[in-house]
Amino acid sequence: MANPRGHPETLKSTNTLDKKTHAAMSSKGGKNSGAKRREMKKWKDLAKEIMAMPLQKGKVKDKITSLAEAKGQNIDTQTAVLLAQVVKATKGDTKAAEFLYSLSHEEVEQITEAPIVVPDDTDKIIPFFDSVSGDIKRHGHTHYWFKGGRGSTKSSFISMKIPQLIISNPDVNVVILRKVANTLKNSVYAQIEWSLEQLELLQEFEFKKSPLEIIYKRTGQKILFLGADDRSKIKSLKMPFGYVGCVWYEELDQFSGMDEIRSINQSLLRGGDKYWCFYSFNPPKSRDNWVNVEQLTDYPDRLISHSNYTMVPSDWLGDQFIIEAEKLKEQRPDLYEHEYMGIATGTGGDVFANVEEMTITDEMIENFDNNYHGIDFGFAQDPFVYVKLHYDIKHDCIYIYDEVYSTRLKNSMAYEKIKDKVGTSVVWADSAEPKSIAELADMGLRIYGVKKGPDSREFSIKWLSDRYKIYIDKQRCPNAYREFTMYEYDQDKHGNFISAYPKRNDHTIDAVRYSLRSEMDANKFSW
């Protein structure tokens, strides 16, 4: 017998459909049946209220109308139908009475949302992470450390796992941390938004900017974004239900050390039976950095993963990414190993491993055609510092060949010492001394203050350390040579190097930073 709805050969059993299509059909069917149940429930609720209320003569229609309006019903249809049945019933119509009774007393099938399936991310993560993904699902470990260079997709992978953990564990809330709170919105918050879009889950979550949080609508579970620079928010954190079962430390090396990490974990990891802690970082250059030292120790509840961009499909990264990586590999193999392969290439705490001593001759100076001038102000304890340098952009080399370094130097005296060195060129100086800048400008210097932002110092120091070479003439610039060669990363109380730049013995370094501010990519930091 022919199928009245179509040809049998065009109909497929749901058993033969792929998983994605079957899930979509099931979801659509669930939504349609759910909508019908909700509409029927509105009718039943309205009928129950009508049957329970006292009525006065001439007020029947008004009562029904007010009820319908309060419930947002289609007044024309439902009022007419219910009113007609109520009027008939009050006049002795037994069928109308039975209809109203059955409508108001039948049990309504419990309304539930279509169940959500934990999305499959197999085609959205690199094969290298497959085993780690399985371990996270089985809760094989508590602490997962992800290290790698640029383009290693470690952060993308973690951001995929977090929504899956929320859906699979209805009591688990998430806290995502960075060292500084003002970096959260444009980094990890945006990363989670991206992952929810990739997993086709955007409609399941609510996004808030103040406070910064993302909420799973079905259960109310939260993803909170906090900065470790405000410890009071971490210590006083209370979840409306469940517990903090998942924590993600992004840019782990920016934290001060394991003492800080343990303290935060002790504040957050309470009241649950299982936890997932993710730690992501680009290994700092120094092998003595606390992160690099810590990850050498194996613990039963810790899994360490090391990925790099060569494991990632090239079309995910784009041609330009590959071009830049290969160019650095040829020009600076040491930087390539560190930045792209995620390998700690330094042997100690030196920030400027690219500094070399060079005798810079007068003939070389005469041929320098891209000169820069910088000033770091000081007077009593801190010196007034002026530096002059040449930047060879083609070969990515800086040549520092002149300096003035002196304490208790008044602005008028400083002007006399540097005016012939500067000539009509522009000088960039520390903006914290607007009075000194104004005085030197009045004397004839073309001097401007460099505006500072919360991350400008860190970015610009790293920018200098990433140059191919910084050549310094030790005879001409003894103070610059001393400060650059002796400048090391900060250390914690245990003597481990951390990814922080000390604010001491850096006067010539600051002057050089200011002088080259126009060569740095201002889109990557805030001056």
Side-chain angles (χ1 to χ4, degrees):
M1 180 177 178
N3 190 317
R5 297 187 180 181
H7 298 291
E9 61 269 19
T10 64
L11 302 178
K12 294 183 179 180
S13 167
T14 55
N15 294 330
T16 65
L17 299 174
D18 61 82
K19 186 184 295 185
K20 185 174 182 180
T21 304
H22 188 279
M25 291 179 63
S26 299
S27 176
K28 183 176 181 181
K31 290 178 181 177
N32 291 339
S33 61
K36 290 180 180 178
R37 291 196 300 271
R38 289 187 183 90
E39 186 61 29
M40 189 63 187
K41 187 175 186 299
K42 291 178 183 178
W43 280 86
K44 291 180 181 294
D45 288 346
L46 184 56
K48 285 180 181 180
E49 292 192 44
I50 292 174
M51 295 296 291
M53 71 181 183
L55 296 177
Q56 296 179 2
K57 186 177 180 180
K59 299 293 184 179
V60 177
K61 183 175 180 179
D62 291 342
K63 283 283 187 180
I64 298 174
T65 301
S66 65
L67 280 171
E69 288 176 343
K71 300 183 86 53
Q73 306 298 309
N74 184 323
I75 296 175
D76 292 339
T77 302
Q78 289 181 309
T79 300
V81 172
L82 290 178
L83 177 59
Q85 297 304 315
V86 170
V87 171
K88 287 181 180 180
T90 56
K91 291 182 178 181
D93 189 321
T94 56
K95 288 186 177 181
E98 289 175 358
F99 167 75
L100 290 170
Y101 180 85
S102 63
L103 187 62
S104 60
H105 285 76
E106 283 182 4
E107 291 297 323
V108 181
E109 181 184 354
Q110 184 177 2
I111 298 175
T112 58
E113 291 186 275
I116 188 169
V117 178
V118 179
D120 182 14
D121 63 1
T122 305
D123 62 341
K124 298 176 176 64
I125 63 175
I126 60 176
F128 173 80
F129 284 131
D130 286 347
S131 61
V132 184
S133 181
D135 193 277
I136 292 171
K137 186 176 181 179
R138 297 189 301 271
H139 193 246
H141 297 78
T142 297
H143 302 279
Y144 294 86
W145 286 47
F146 295 88
K147 61 179 180 176
R150 295 176 183 174
S152 60
T153 70
K154 55 188 182 297
S155 296
S156 298
F157 173 74
I158 295 172
S159 69
M160 292 279 187
K161 295 296 111 182
I162 287 175
Q164 295 175 335
L165 289 174
I166 285 179
I167 294 171
S168 301
N169 301 272
D171 290 332
V172 166
N173 295 282
V174 180
V175 171
I176 300 178
L177 295 136
R178 288 199 63 172
K179 180 64 175 179
V180 181
N182 65 11
T183 61
L184 292 165
K185 181 180 177 182
N186 295 324
S187 58
V188 284
Y189 186 88
Q191 181 70 59
I192 294 295
E193 278 190 295
W194 172 86
S195 71
L196 291 172
E197 181 181 17
Q198 293 296 307
L199 295 170
E200 299 181 359
L201 290 174
L202 281 176
Q203 73 282 358
E204 297 287 343
F205 287 81
E206 178 184 356
F207 301 86
K208 292 186 175 182
K209 297 295 177 66
S210 183
L212 210 59
E213 61 183 34
I214 298 175
I215 303 170
Y216 184 38
K217 294 178 183 177
R218 292 179 181 242
T219 61
Q221 290 164 272
K222 292 187 175 183
I223 304 174
L224 305 179
F225 301 82
L226 301 175
D229 51 347
D230 189 351
R231 293 296 295 276
S232 62
K233 289 184 179 180
I234 298 174
K235 291 181 179 179
S236 62
L237 184 64
K238 301 292 182 185
M239 305 307 301
F241 73 93
Y243 65 102
V244 177
C246 179
V247 179
W248 176 15
Y249 293 89
E250 170 70 328
E251 303 287 359
L252 177 65
D253 57 298
Q254 297 299 319
F255 292 81
S256 62
M258 281 307 296
D259 287 345
E260 182 179 20
I261 300 302
R262 277 191 291 268
S263 176
I264 294 174
N265 281 344
Q266 288 164 3
S267 297
L268 295 178
L269 306 181
R270 298 176 179 177
D273 57 347
K274 54 184 178 181
Y275 302 91
W276 292 265
C277 297
F278 302 129
Y279 310 83
S280 56
F281 61 99
N282 287 33
K285 185 180 296 184
S286 171
R287 294 173 186 169
D288 294 328
N289 184 281
W290 76 267
V291 171
N292 293 331
V293 172
E294 178 66 26
Q295 58 93 27
L296 294 175
T297 305
D298 290 329
Y299 292 105
D301 62 347
R302 176 189 290 178
L303 178 65
I304 297 176
S305 169
H306 187 174
S307 58
N308 64 67
Y309 82 97
T310 64
M311 304 171 179
V312 181
S314 58
D315 58 326
W316 288 17
L317 300 171
D319 293 339
Q320 191 59 40
F321 183 97
I322 306 299
I323 291 171
E324 294 295 332
E326 293 301 315
K327 182 167 65 176
L328 189 63
K329 182 179 182 180
E330 180 179 350
Q331 294 178 346
R332 287 289 303 273
D334 58 327
L335 284 184
Y336 169 81
E337 288 287 301
H338 174 236
E339 295 182 10
Y340 285 94
M341 303 305 288
I343 297 173
T345 55
T347 57
D350 294 345
V351 173
F352 298 106
N354 56 341
V355 169
E356 286 189 12
E357 179 188 356
M358 172 183 281
T359 299
I360 301 176
T361 65
D362 291 340
E363 184 180 358
M364 293 174 63
I365 294 173
E366 288 179 6
N367 291 318
F368 287 160
D369 58 359
N370 192 31
N371 294 309
Y372 295 84
H373 309 262
I375 290 177
D376 184 47
F377 290 106
F379 183 73
Q381 292 182 342
D382 291 336
F384 169 93
V385 174
Y386 160 83
V387 296
K388 185 174 183 179
L389 58 91
H390 164 72
Y391 181 33
D392 180 351
I393 297 176
K394 181 179 180 180
H395 299 99
D396 200 21
C397 296
I398 296 171
Y399 297 80
I400 302 174
Y401 62 92
D402 203 352
E403 70 173 34
V404 172
Y405 192 102
S406 179
T407 57
R408 299 194 173 277
L409 195 65
K410 294 181 179 180
N411 290 331
S412 58
M413 298 169 62
Y415 174 74
E416 291 299 324
K417 285 180 174 290
I418 68 174
K419 65 178 183 179
D420 293 334
K421 301 175 185 293
V422 175
T424 60
S425 299
V426 171
V427 183
W428 291 100
D430 183 357
S431 60
E433 291 285 341
K435 182 181 177 184
S436 295
I437 291 174
E439 288 182 2
L440 290 173
D442 288 341
M443 295 174 194
L445 284 187
R446 294 177 60 199
I447 184 170
Y448 302 96
V450 173
K451 295 180 181 180
K452 301 177 182 179
D455 54 354
S456 60
R457 184 170 182 272
E458 287 74 16
F459 176 90
S460 54
I461 290 177
K462 186 178 186 306
W463 186 89
L464 288 174
S465 70
D466 285 346
R467 306 286 52 84
Y468 179 62
K469 291 293 181 184
I470 299 178
Y471 296 111
I472 305 176
D473 189 316
K474 188 164 65 173
Q475 298 300 318
R476 295 176 184 267
C477 306
N479 295 290
Y481 183 79
R482 171 178 51 82
E483 289 188 351
F484 270 88
T485 56
M486 296 185 66
Y487 195 68
E488 291 186 331
Y489 290 101
D490 246 337
Q491 294 176 292
D492 61 19
K493 65 181 181 181
H494 302 297
N496 298 315
F497 289 106
I498 60 176
S499 294
Y501 302 115
K503 192 67 185 78
R504 58 182 180 271
N505 301 322
D506 59 352
H507 312 294
T508 59
I509 297 169
D510 284 346
V512 171
R513 291 195 301 114
Y514 301 149
S515 73
L516 287 165
R517 50 90 56 207
S518 61
E519 294 295 338
M520 302 178 191
D521 186 356
N523 293 322
K524 295 183 179 178
F525 66 98
S526 305
W527 276 106

